[in-house]
Amino acid sequence: YRSRKVSSKVERAPATMMNADMDAVEAENQVELEEKTRLINQVLELQHTLEDLSARVDAVKEENLKLKSENQVLGQYIENLMSASSVFQTTDTKSKRK
C-alpha cells in the first residue's frame, strides 16, 4: 500500500508542474493578447485622426480656392474703380505746361 501512495505522489508532481507551466504560458498569452488589442485600438484611433485631418485639409484647400477667387474679383473691381476715377488718373505734366 505504501508503494502505491509514494508512486501516486510522484505522478502528481509532474502534473502539478505542467499545470503551473501551462498557467504561466496562458498568462503570457493573455498579456500578449492585451498588448495586441491595445495596439490595434491605437492604430484605429490614429487612422480616424488621419481621416479627420485629411478631411480638414481638403476643406481648407477648398476655402483657400474660394478666397483666391473672391480676391481676384475684388482686385478687378478696385482696378475698375480706380481707372474710372479722375483722382487716380495719371497726369501728364508736359502737356499742362504748354
Side-chain angles (χ1 to χ4, degrees), residues 21-34:
D21 289 343
M22 290 179 78
D23 288 344
V25 168
E26 196 173 302
E28 189 176 315
N29 287 342
Q30 182 64 29
V31 168
E32 287 180 12
L33 181 63
E34 288 172 0

Side-chain angles (χ1 to χ4, degrees), residues 86-96:
S86 61
V87 173
F88 296 106
Q89 296 296 323
T90 58
T91 56
D92 188 4
T93 54
K94 289 181 181 177
S95 63
K96 285 185 178 180

Side-chain angles (χ1 to χ4, degrees), residues 69-79:
S69 175
E70 288 177 5
N71 282 344
Q72 286 178 340
V73 169
L74 288 173
Q76 186 63 46
Y77 177 73
I78 290 169
E79 205 174 290

Side-chain angles (χ1 to χ4, degrees), residues 17-81:
M17 284 195 294
M18 282 181 48
N19 285 342
D21 289 343
M22 290 179 78
D23 288 344
V25 168
E26 196 173 302
E28 189 176 315
N29 287 342
Q30 182 64 29
V31 168
E32 287 180 12
L33 181 63
E34 288 172 0
E35 180 67 10
K36 285 179 184 178
T37 302
R38 185 185 68 77
L39 288 173
I40 288 170
N41 287 336
Q42 189 175 15
V43 166
L44 290 173
E45 183 179 336
L46 289 171
Q47 282 179 336
H48 292 302
T49 302
L50 181 59
E51 288 171 357
D52 292 343
L53 289 172
S54 180
R56 179 69 181 132
V57 166
D58 290 342
V60 168
K61 282 181 180 179
E62 189 175 316
E63 182 69 18
N64 186 33
L65 288 173
K66 179 182 170 189
L67 291 173
K68 278 183 179 180
S69 175
E70 288 177 5
N71 282 344
Q72 286 178 340
V73 169
L74 288 173
Q76 186 63 46
Y77 177 73
I78 290 169
E79 205 174 290
N80 290 342
L81 285 175

